[in-house]
Amino acid sequence: MFQSDIEVILSGRDGYKDSEGLLLRVAQLGKRFSIKVSIKEPNLENQYYKGLQFTVITKINGEEHNIGDGGFVDWSQKLLRSKKQRLIISAIGLDRLLL
């Protein structure tokens, strides 16, 4: 039905000691599973995600669609008062393909 390519774009965020190292390790892991992964310049003004944000892009018939995103958030750290807690959230919106 659809012939599409999927790409995951990683972007660093403030909030972790080694965000750059985290990005490189995640990108290497993705490539081991034959997932197209790229790293873009960090948007340090975006404070919603901490350490890492990812965006999932698909190309269908030459047109690019942003269908998902996610990243680490500090909600569990604040709720449980523990810096050791890690929480990664994500969402995918396949309905965007219908727009």
Side-chain angles (χ1 to χ4, degrees):
M1 179 164 199
F2 289 117
Q3 293 296 323
S4 66
D5 295 318
I6 303 252
E7 178 179 5
V8 177
I9 301 171
L10 304 174
S11 180
R13 297 289 183 266
D14 282 338
Y16 278 70
K17 292 180 184 176
D18 186 19
S19 294
E20 187 175 321
L22 176 62
L23 288 175
L24 293 174
R25 289 188 300 276
V26 170
Q28 288 174 344
L29 184 62
K31 289 176 183 176
R32 281 184 33 200
F33 290 98
S34 300
I35 298 170
K36 184 176 179 184
V37 178
S38 61
I39 298 175
K40 74 173 192 176
E41 290 293 317
N43 176 2
L44 300 178
E45 293 176 9
N46 179 336
Q47 295 298 310
Y48 186 74
Y49 294 111
K50 307 294 180 189
L52 172 133
Q53 176 188 359
F54 63 87
T55 304
V56 181
I57 305 275
T58 186
K59 290 183 184 176
I60 299 173
N61 298 328
E63 192 173 330
E64 195 170 274
H65 302 274
N66 180 342
I67 60 169
D69 77 338
F72 285 104
V73 293
D74 60 358
W75 308 341
S76 60
Q77 292 175 348
K78 290 178 179 179
L79 181 65
L80 299 171
R81 296 184 187 147
S82 172
K83 294 283 186 181
K84 293 182 179 183
Q85 294 296 317
R86 298 291 182 262
L87 177 64
I88 191 167
I89 62 170
S90 64
I92 192 161
L94 295 177
D95 58 316
R96 297 194 55 147
L97 297 175
L98 299 174
L99 298 176

